Amino acid sequence: PCIYAAVVEALDIRIGNSFLNVGSGTGYLSTVIGYLIGQGALNHGIEVRKQAVEHSYLCLEKYITECIMFDATGLAIPLFVCGNGLDIDTGYRKYDRIIPHFLKSI
């Protein structure tokens, strides 16, 4: 969580920003930022690993249904898709904030 705080601060997230998380992994950061950008804002995550996308949705569903602290008020619920962030058509949609996460092959 500490690294995510630094990321959020560096991105200067504002209510109403649209957000794209390239390499969204578990979806944790996208969910946190969903509260900062507010309900109705675009909150998208793209992940190359299908299992990670499925896991993201499972975790999000568990959070929504089981967390006693959950409050959908003000949350831009993230939309996760499986794909390659390098293949995004930038003419289709513009994002105010983008964070790229890339795995380095060794």
Side-chain angles (χ1 to χ4, degrees):
C2 183
I3 188 69
Y4 292 127
V7 167
V8 168
E9 184 176 15
L11 286 172
D12 191 28
I13 300 291
R14 308 270 184 202
I15 290 179
N17 281 157
S18 55
F19 178 69
L20 174 62
N21 189 354
V22 180
S24 55
T26 64
Y28 179 83
L29 179 62
S30 295
T31 303
V32 169
I33 287 182
Y35 279 108
L36 300 175
I37 61 177
Q39 194 170 20
L42 293 176
N43 186 5
H44 296 162
I46 186 165
E47 172 60 49
V48 72
R49 297 168 295 157
K50 182 180 177 185
Q51 297 86 353
V53 173
E54 292 168 353
H55 180 74
S56 297
Y57 276 117
L58 288 173
C59 290
L60 182 61
E61 181 65 25
K62 185 174 182 176
Y63 170 62
I64 290 170
T65 59
E66 296 181 17
C67 181
I68 60 172
M69 300 295 289
F70 175 73
D71 180 7
T73 306
L75 173 63
I77 295 176
L79 170 69
F80 302 107
V81 295
C82 187
N84 187 334
L86 299 175
D87 293 335
I88 294 173
D89 180 4
T90 56
Y92 170 69
R93 184 176 309 278
K94 304 287 188 211
Y95 294 93
D96 297 307
R97 302 291 186 269
I98 299 173
I99 180 118
H101 303 270
F102 298 103
L103 293 175
K104 181 179 178 184
S105 299
I106 296 177

